[in-house]
Amino acid sequence: MSETPLLVRDVPEEALLARIFPLLPTAPTTLVGPGDDCAVVAAPDGRYVVSTDVLVEDRHFRRRWSSGYDVGWRAAVQNLADVVSMGARPAALVVSLVMPGDLPVDWVTGLARGLADACTPLGAAVVGGDLSGGDQVVVAVTVHGDLEGRAPVLRSGARPGDVVALAGSLGRSAAGLALLDADRADLDDALVVAHLRPDPPLAAGPAAADAGATAMMDVSDGLLRDAGRMARASGVVVDLELAALGADRDRLRVASTALDGASEDGAGATDRDARTDAGDRTEGWVLSGGEDHALLATFSADADLPDGFRAIGRVRTADGDGAGVRVDGGVAHRATGWDHFRA
């Protein structure tokens, strides 16, 4: 007989915090950590970068397939990626958690462990936050980063002639989500993990800044949408090479084909012409799938790309169609990808 899990409503707030605090990572720059009205964090550079992001249950994750650890990891990574894409080193996170009373305490401590495991390799600390009750789980993270003397790398610095480069993967998270949505996580465990716990090369951000990146951002809402943001901020055309994007294309195609086969097996024969072509779906995952948090950057044509980056296109002068994104020199692409109010 299984033991009834301890729920949040069964534990006083201070007792819950006493379970959480020992799990949170610390850092030398944390002068005062959790427990006071505010944390105190050293800023040796004299400046800091700051960003915030929110995960909302049933909007950004579902508890039926996401553990607390998964959500903690994702909440950390999506914020850490914002910091490193500015060329900074993540230093401190503040985390607020809204949760219903029937949430198991183990889910909450799992979230703390996920935060810690994502932050520790980069030397970032979780220095405080807040707890509140609500009808669904909401995780809000604010992250601070140290530029360590570097100039911040902005979206607006791309110039005609620059090389467009990428560090990390595209399409894996979107494919994993499609497998989860179809209740076929068994078809490719690695793609599912790529969605639940994205693992971009975060150390590549400061390295890109040191190598002279002229513009940079993380790909959170899909390559076309985010490259379009960079193009418009810089007043240029970002021309992507489709063949250079699909490092995981074969694996994604296998997953797409398997999804079609699973649909046939579960619901009888279907009209093949009515189904999504595996190639079209794969291209959609690569170009418009988000949440891989790969790093998109531009470098001067004579720069040596830092480790982990590969060339995926060129920056060109905006023409009569204005700034935007093209693929293989074709027509301008509209901004497809994640939209918080239309998804």
Side-chain angles (χ1 to χ4, degrees), residues 7-9 13 16-17 19-21 23-24 52-57 61 63 67-73 75 93-115 126 128-142:
L7 304 179
V8 166
R9 65 182 174 222
E13 181 177 351
L16 183 58
L17 291 172
R19 292 170 179 257
I20 295 172
F21 284 166
L23 304 175
L24 301 179
T52 191
D53 217 332
V54 176
L55 286 176
V56 179
E57 182 179 1
F61 68 92
R63 268 196 282 156
S67 67
Y69 185 98
D70 295 332
V71 175
W73 178 281
L93 286 74
V94 178
V95 182
S96 293
L97 176 61
V98 178
M99 53 192 164
D102 62 358
L103 187 69
V105 170
D106 285 349
W107 198 96
V108 181
T109 56
L111 182 139
R113 291 188 175 93
L115 287 166
V126 177
D130 191 27
L131 299 178
S132 182
D135 294 333
Q136 60 187 152
V137 178
V138 178
V139 185
V141 178
T142 298

Coordinates of all heavy atoms in Angstrom, one line a residue, residues 7-9 13 16-17 19-21 23-24 52-57 61 63 67-73 75 93-115 126 128-142:
L7 N 1.4 16.9 1.6 CA 1.0 18.0 0.7 C 1.4 19.3 1.3 O 1.7 19.5 2.5 CB -0.5 18.0 0.6 CG -1.1 16.7 0.0 CD1 -2.6 16.8 -0.1 CD2 -0.5 16.3 -1.3
V8 N 1.5 20.3 0.4 CA 1.9 21.7 0.8 C 1.0 22.2 1.9 O 1.4 22.9 2.9 CB 1.9 22.6 -0.4 CG1 2.0 24.1 0.0 CG2 3.0 22.3 -1.4
R9 N -0.3 21.9 1.8 CA -1.3 22.5 2.8 C -1.1 21.8 4.2 O -1.6 22.4 5.2 CB -2.7 22.3 2.4 CG -3.1 20.8 2.3 CD -4.5 20.7 1.8 NE -4.9 19.3 1.5 CZ -5.6 18.9 0.5 NH1 -6.0 19.8 -0.5 NH2 -5.9 17.7 0.3
E13 N 4.5 27.3 6.4 CA 5.4 27.9 5.4 C 6.8 27.8 5.8 O 7.7 27.5 5.0 CB 4.9 29.4 5.1 CG 5.8 30.1 4.1 CD 5.4 31.5 3.8 OE1 4.3 31.9 4.3 OE2 6.1 32.2 3.1
L16 N 8.2 24.5 5.3 CA 8.5 24.2 3.9 C 9.7 24.9 3.4 O 10.6 24.3 2.7 CB 7.3 24.7 3.0 CG 7.3 24.4 1.5 CD1 7.5 22.9 1.2 CD2 6.1 25.0 0.8
L17 N 9.9 26.1 3.8 CA 11.2 26.9 3.5 C 12.4 26.2 4.1 O 13.4 26.1 3.4 CB 11.1 28.3 4.0 CG 10.1 29.2 3.2 CD1 10.0 30.6 3.9 CD2 10.5 29.4 1.8
R19 N 12.8 23.1 4.3 CA 13.1 22.0 3.4 C 13.8 22.5 2.1 O 14.6 21.8 1.6 CB 11.9 21.2 3.1 CG 11.2 20.4 4.2 CD 9.9 19.9 3.8 NE 9.2 19.1 4.9 CZ 9.2 17.8 5.0 NH1 9.7 17.1 4.0 NH2 8.6 17.2 6.0
I20 N 13.4 23.7 1.7 CA 13.9 24.2 0.4 C 15.3 24.8 0.5 O 16.2 24.5 -0.3 CB 12.9 25.2 -0.1 CG1 11.5 24.6 -0.5 CG2 13.5 25.9 -1.4 CD1 10.5 25.6 -0.8
F21 N 15.5 25.6 1.5 CA 16.7 26.4 1.6 C 18.0 25.6 1.5 O 18.9 26.0 0.8 CB 16.8 27.3 2.9 CG 15.9 28.5 2.8 CD1 15.6 29.2 4.0 CD2 15.3 28.9 1.6 CE1 14.8 30.3 4.0 CE2 14.5 30.0 1.6 CZ 14.2 30.7 2.8
L23 N 18.6 23.1 -0.2 CA 18.8 22.5 -1.5 C 19.3 23.6 -2.5 O 19.7 23.2 -3.6 CB 17.5 22.0 -2.0 CG 16.8 20.9 -1.1 CD1 15.5 20.5 -1.7 CD2 17.7 19.7 -1.0
L24 N 19.2 24.9 -2.2 CA 19.5 25.9 -3.1 C 21.0 26.2 -3.3 O 21.7 26.1 -2.3 CB 18.8 27.2 -2.7 CG 17.2 27.1 -2.6 CD1 16.7 28.4 -2.2 CD2 16.6 26.7 -3.9
T52 N 13.6 38.6 -16.4 CA 12.6 37.8 -15.7 C 11.8 37.0 -16.6 O 11.6 37.3 -17.8 CB 11.7 38.7 -14.8 OG1 11.0 37.9 -13.9 CG2 10.8 39.5 -15.7
D53 N 11.3 35.8 -16.2 CA 10.5 35.0 -17.0 C 9.5 34.2 -16.1 O 9.8 34.0 -14.9 CB 11.4 34.0 -17.8 CG 10.8 33.8 -19.2 OD1 9.6 33.8 -19.4 OD2 11.6 33.4 -20.1
V54 N 8.4 33.7 -16.7 CA 7.4 33.0 -15.9 C 7.0 31.7 -16.6 O 7.0 31.6 -17.8 CB 6.1 33.9 -15.8 CG1 5.0 33.2 -15.1 CG2 6.4 35.2 -15.0
L55 N 6.8 30.7 -15.8 CA 6.3 29.4 -16.3 C 4.9 29.2 -15.6 O 4.8 29.3 -14.4 CB 7.2 28.2 -15.9 CG 8.5 28.0 -16.7 CD1 9.3 26.9 -16.1 CD2 8.2 27.8 -18.2
V56 N 3.9 29.0 -16.4 CA 2.5 28.9 -15.9 C 2.0 27.5 -16.3 O 2.1 27.0 -17.4 CB 1.6 29.9 -16.6 CG1 0.1 29.7 -16.0 CG2 2.1 31.3 -16.3
E57 N 1.5 26.8 -15.2 CA 1.0 25.4 -15.4 C -0.1 25.4 -16.5 O -1.0 26.3 -16.5 CB 0.5 24.9 -14.1 CG -0.1 23.4 -14.2 CD -0.6 22.9 -12.9 OE1 -0.6 23.7 -11.9 OE2 -1.0 21.8 -12.8
F61 N 3.9 24.2 -19.1 CA 4.2 22.8 -18.8 C 2.9 22.2 -18.2 O 1.9 22.9 -17.9 CB 5.3 22.8 -17.7 CG 4.8 23.3 -16.3 CD1 4.3 22.5 -15.4 CD2 5.0 24.7 -16.1 CE1 3.9 23.0 -14.1 CE2 4.6 25.2 -14.8 CZ 4.0 24.4 -13.9
R63 N 1.7 19.2 -15.4 CA 2.2 18.3 -14.3 C 2.1 16.8 -14.6 O 2.8 16.0 -14.0 CB 1.5 18.7 -13.0 CG 2.3 19.7 -12.2 CD 1.8 19.8 -10.8 NE 0.5 20.5 -10.7 CZ -0.4 20.3 -9.7 NH1 -0.2 19.4 -8.8 NH2 -1.5 21.0 -9.6
S67 N 7.9 16.7 -13.9 CA 8.1 16.6 -12.5 C 8.5 18.0 -11.9 O 8.8 18.9 -12.7 CB 9.3 15.6 -12.2 OG 10.5 16.1 -12.7
G68 N 8.6 18.1 -10.6 CA 9.0 19.4 -10.1 C 10.5 19.7 -10.5 O 10.8 20.8 -10.8
Y69 N 11.3 18.6 -10.6 CA 12.7 18.8 -11.0 C 12.7 19.3 -12.4 O 13.5 20.3 -12.7 CB 13.4 17.4 -10.9 CG 14.9 17.5 -11.3 CD1 15.8 17.6 -10.3 CD2 15.3 17.5 -12.6 CE1 17.2 17.6 -10.5 CE2 16.7 17.6 -12.9 CZ 17.6 17.7 -11.9 OH 18.9 17.7 -12.1
D70 N 11.9 18.8 -13.3 CA 11.8 19.3 -14.7 C 11.5 20.7 -14.8 O 12.2 21.5 -15.5 CB 10.8 18.5 -15.5 CG 11.1 17.0 -15.7 OD1 12.3 16.6 -15.7 OD2 10.1 16.3 -15.8
V71 N 10.5 21.2 -14.0 CA 10.1 22.6 -14.1 C 11.1 23.5 -13.5 O 11.4 24.6 -14.0 CB 8.7 22.7 -13.4 CG1 8.3 24.2 -13.3 CG2 7.6 21.9 -14.1
G72 N 11.8 23.0 -12.4 CA 12.8 23.8 -11.8 C 14.0 24.0 -12.8 O 14.5 25.1 -12.9
W73 N 14.4 22.9 -13.5 CA 15.4 23.0 -14.4 C 15.1 24.0 -15.6 O 15.9 24.8 -15.9 CB 15.7 21.6 -15.0 CG 16.8 21.6 -16.1 CD1 16.6 21.9 -17.4 CD2 18.1 21.1 -15.9 NE1 17.8 21.7 -18.0 CE2 18.8 21.3 -17.1 CE3 18.9 20.7 -14.8 CZ2 20.1 21.0 -17.3 CZ3 20.2 20.4 -15.0 CH2 20.8 20.5 -16.3
A75 N 12.8 26.4 -15.6 CA 12.7 27.7 -15.2 C 14.1 28.4 -15.0 O 14.2 29.6 -15.4 CB 12.0 27.8 -13.8
L93 N 19.7 34.2 -8.8 CA 18.3 34.1 -9.2 C 17.4 34.3 -8.0 O 17.8 33.9 -6.9 CB 18.0 32.7 -9.8 CG 18.5 32.4 -11.2 CD1 20.0 32.1 -11.2 CD2 17.8 31.1 -11.7
V94 N 16.3 34.9 -8.2 CA 15.2 35.1 -7.2 C 14.0 34.3 -7.8 O 13.6 34.6 -9.0 CB 14.9 36.5 -6.9 CG1 13.8 36.6 -5.9 CG2 16.1 37.3 -6.4
V95 N 13.4 33.4 -7.0 CA 12.3 32.6 -7.5 C 11.1 32.7 -6.7 O 11.1 32.6 -5.5 CB 12.8 31.1 -7.5 CG1 11.7 30.2 -8.1 CG2 14.1 30.9 -8.3
S96 N 10.0 33.0 -7.3 CA 8.7 33.0 -6.7 C 7.8 31.9 -7.2 O 7.8 31.6 -8.4 CB 8.0 34.4 -6.9 OG 8.6 35.4 -6.3
L97 N 7.1 31.3 -6.2 CA 6.3 30.1 -6.5 C 4.9 30.2 -6.0 O 4.7 30.4 -4.8 CB 7.0 28.8 -5.9 CG 6.3 27.5 -6.0 CD1 6.2 27.1 -7.5 CD2 7.1 26.4 -5.2
V98 N 4.0 30.1 -6.9 CA 2.5 30.0 -6.6 C 2.1 28.6 -6.7 O 2.5 27.9 -7.7 CB 1.7 30.9 -7.5 CG1 0.2 30.8 -7.2 CG2 2.2 32.4 -7.4
M99 N 1.3 28.1 -5.8 CA 1.0 26.6 -5.8 C -0.3 26.4 -5.1 O -0.6 27.0 -4.1 CB 2.2 25.8 -5.3 CG 2.6 26.2 -3.9 SD 4.1 25.5 -3.4 CE 4.5 26.6 -2.0
P100 N -1.0 25.3 -5.5 CA -2.2 24.9 -4.8 C -1.8 24.1 -3.6 O -0.8 23.5 -3.5 CB -3.0 24.1 -5.8 CG -1.9 23.5 -6.7 CD -0.8 24.6 -6.8
G101 N -2.7 24.1 -2.6 CA -2.4 23.3 -1.4 C -2.3 21.9 -1.5 O -1.7 21.2 -0.7
D102 N -2.8 21.3 -2.6 CA -2.8 19.8 -2.8 C -1.5 19.4 -3.5 O -1.4 18.3 -3.9 CB -4.0 19.3 -3.4 CG -4.2 19.9 -4.8 OD1 -3.4 20.7 -5.3 OD2 -5.2 19.4 -5.5
L103 N -0.6 20.3 -3.7 CA 0.7 20.0 -4.4 C 1.6 19.2 -3.4 O 1.8 19.7 -2.3 CB 1.4 21.3 -4.9 CG 2.6 21.1 -5.7 CD1 2.3 20.5 -7.1 CD2 3.4 22.4 -5.8
P104 N 2.1 18.1 -3.8 CA 3.0 17.3 -2.9 C 4.2 18.1 -2.6 O 4.8 18.8 -3.5 CB 3.3 16.1 -3.7 CG 2.2 15.9 -4.7 CD 1.8 17.3 -5.1
V105 N 4.7 18.0 -1.4 CA 5.9 18.7 -0.9 C 7.1 18.2 -1.7 O 8.0 19.0 -2.1 CB 6.1 18.5 0.6 CG1 7.5 19.0 1.0 CG2 5.0 19.2 1.4
D106 N 7.1 16.9 -2.1 CA 8.2 16.4 -2.8 C 8.3 17.0 -4.2 O 9.4 17.1 -4.8 CB 8.0 14.9 -3.0 CG 8.3 14.1 -1.8 OD1 8.9 14.7 -0.8 OD2 8.1 12.9 -1.7
W107 N 7.2 17.5 -4.8 CA 7.2 18.2 -6.0 C 8.0 19.5 -5.9 O 8.8 19.9 -6.7 CB 5.8 18.5 -6.5 CG 5.7 18.8 -8.0 CD1 5.4 17.9 -9.0 CD2 5.9 20.1 -8.6 NE1 5.4 18.6 -10.2 CE2 5.7 19.9 -10.0 CE3 6.2 21.3 -8.1 CZ2 5.8 20.9 -10.9 CZ3 6.3 22.4 -9.1 CH2 6.1 22.2 -10.4
V108 N 7.7 20.2 -4.7 CA 8.4 21.5 -4.5 C 9.9 21.3 -4.2 O 10.7 22.1 -4.7 CB 7.7 22.2 -3.3 CG1 8.4 23.5 -3.0 CG2 6.2 22.4 -3.5
T109 N 10.3 20.3 -3.4 CA 11.7 20.1 -3.2 C 12.4 19.6 -4.5 O 13.5 19.9 -4.7 CB 11.9 19.1 -2.1 OG1 11.2 17.9 -2.3 CG2 11.4 19.7 -0.7
G110 N 11.6 18.9 -5.3 CA 12.2 18.5 -6.6 C 12.5 19.7 -7.5 O 13.5 19.8 -8.2
L111 N 11.6 20.7 -7.4 CA 11.8 22.0 -8.2 C 13.1 22.6 -7.7 O 13.9 23.1 -8.5 CB 10.6 22.9 -8.0 CG 10.6 24.2 -8.8 CD1 9.3 24.6 -9.4 CD2 11.1 25.4 -7.8
A112 N 13.3 22.7 -6.4 CA 14.5 23.3 -5.8 C 15.8 22.6 -6.3 O 16.8 23.2 -6.7 CB 14.5 23.3 -4.3
R113 N 15.7 21.2 -6.4 CA 16.8 20.5 -6.9 C 17.1 20.7 -8.4 O 18.2 20.8 -8.8 CB 16.6 19.0 -6.6 CG 16.6 18.6 -5.2 CD 16.6 17.1 -5.0 NE 16.7 16.7 -3.6 CZ 15.7 16.5 -2.7 NH1 14.5 16.6 -3.2 NH2 15.9 16.2 -1.5
G114 N 16.0 20.9 -9.1 CA 16.2 21.2 -10.6 C 16.8 22.5 -10.8 O 17.7 22.7 -11.6
L115 N 16.4 23.5 -10.0 CA 17.0 24.8 -10.0 C 18.5 24.7 -9.7 O 19.4 25.3 -10.4 CB 16.4 25.8 -9.0 CG 15.0 26.3 -9.4 CD1 14.3 26.9 -8.1 CD2 15.0 27.3 -10.5
V126 N 20.7 30.7 -6.1 CA 19.3 31.1 -5.8 C 19.3 31.8 -4.5 O 19.6 31.2 -3.4 CB 18.4 29.9 -5.9 CG1 17.0 30.4 -5.6 CG2 18.4 29.2 -7.2
G128 N 16.8 33.9 -3.0 CA 15.6 34.2 -2.3 C 14.4 34.1 -3.2 O 14.5 33.5 -4.3
G129 N 13.3 34.6 -2.8 CA 12.0 34.5 -3.6 C 10.8 34.7 -2.7 O 10.8 35.3 -1.6
D130 N 9.7 34.0 -3.1 CA 8.5 34.2 -2.4 C 7.6 32.9 -2.6 O 7.7 32.2 -3.6 CB 7.7 35.4 -2.8 CG 6.5 35.8 -1.9 OD1 6.6 35.4 -0.7 OD2 5.6 36.4 -2.4
L131 N 6.7 32.6 -1.7 CA 5.8 31.5 -1.8 C 4.4 32.1 -1.7 O 4.1 33.0 -0.8 CB 5.9 30.5 -0.7 CG 7.3 29.7 -0.7 CD1 7.3 28.8 0.5 CD2 7.5 29.0 -2.0
S132 N 3.4 31.6 -2.5 CA 2.0 32.0 -2.4 C 1.1 30.9 -2.8 O 1.5 30.0 -3.5 CB 1.8 33.3 -3.2 OG 0.5 33.7 -3.1
G133 N -0.1 30.9 -2.3 CA -1.1 30.0 -2.7 C -1.9 30.4 -3.9 O -2.0 31.6 -4.2
G134 N -2.3 29.5 -4.7 CA -3.1 29.8 -5.9 C -3.7 28.5 -6.5 O -3.4 27.4 -6.0
D135 N -4.5 28.6 -7.6 CA -5.2 27.5 -8.1 C -4.3 26.6 -9.0 O -4.6 25.5 -9.3 CB -6.4 28.0 -9.0 CG -7.4 28.6 -8.1 OD1 -7.5 28.3 -6.9 OD2 -8.2 29.5 -8.6
Q136 N -3.2 27.2 -9.5 CA -2.3 26.4 -10.4 C -0.8 26.8 -10.0 O -0.6 27.8 -9.4 CB -2.6 26.6 -11.8 CG -2.4 28.1 -12.3 CD -2.9 28.3 -13.7 OE1 -3.4 29.4 -14.0 NE2 -2.9 27.3 -14.5
V137 N 0.1 26.0 -10.5 CA 1.5 26.3 -10.2 C 2.0 27.4 -11.2 O 1.8 27.3 -12.4 CB 2.4 25.0 -10.4 CG1 3.8 25.4 -10.2 CG2 1.9 23.9 -9.4
V138 N 2.6 28.4 -10.6 CA 3.3 29.4 -11.4 C 4.7 29.6 -10.8 O 4.8 29.8 -9.6 CB 2.5 30.8 -11.4 CG1 3.3 31.9 -12.2 CG2 1.1 30.6 -11.9
V139 N 5.7 29.6 -11.7 CA 7.1 29.8 -11.3 C 7.6 31.0 -12.0 O 7.7 31.1 -13.2 CB 8.0 28.6 -11.6 CG1 9.4 28.8 -11.0 CG2 7.4 27.3 -11.1
A140 N 7.9 32.0 -11.2 CA 8.5 33.3 -11.7 C 9.9 33.4 -11.3 O 10.2 33.3 -10.1 CB 7.7 34.5 -11.3
V141 N 10.8 33.7 -12.2 CA 12.2 33.8 -11.9 C 12.8 35.1 -12.4 O 12.5 35.5 -13.5 CB 13.0 32.6 -12.6 CG1 14.5 32.8 -12.3 CG2 12.5 31.3 -12.1
T142 N 13.5 35.8 -11.6 CA 14.3 36.9 -12.0 C 15.8 36.6 -11.8 O 16.2 36.0 -10.8 CB 14.0 38.2 -11.1 OG1 12.6 38.5 -11.3 CG2 14.8 39.4 -11.5

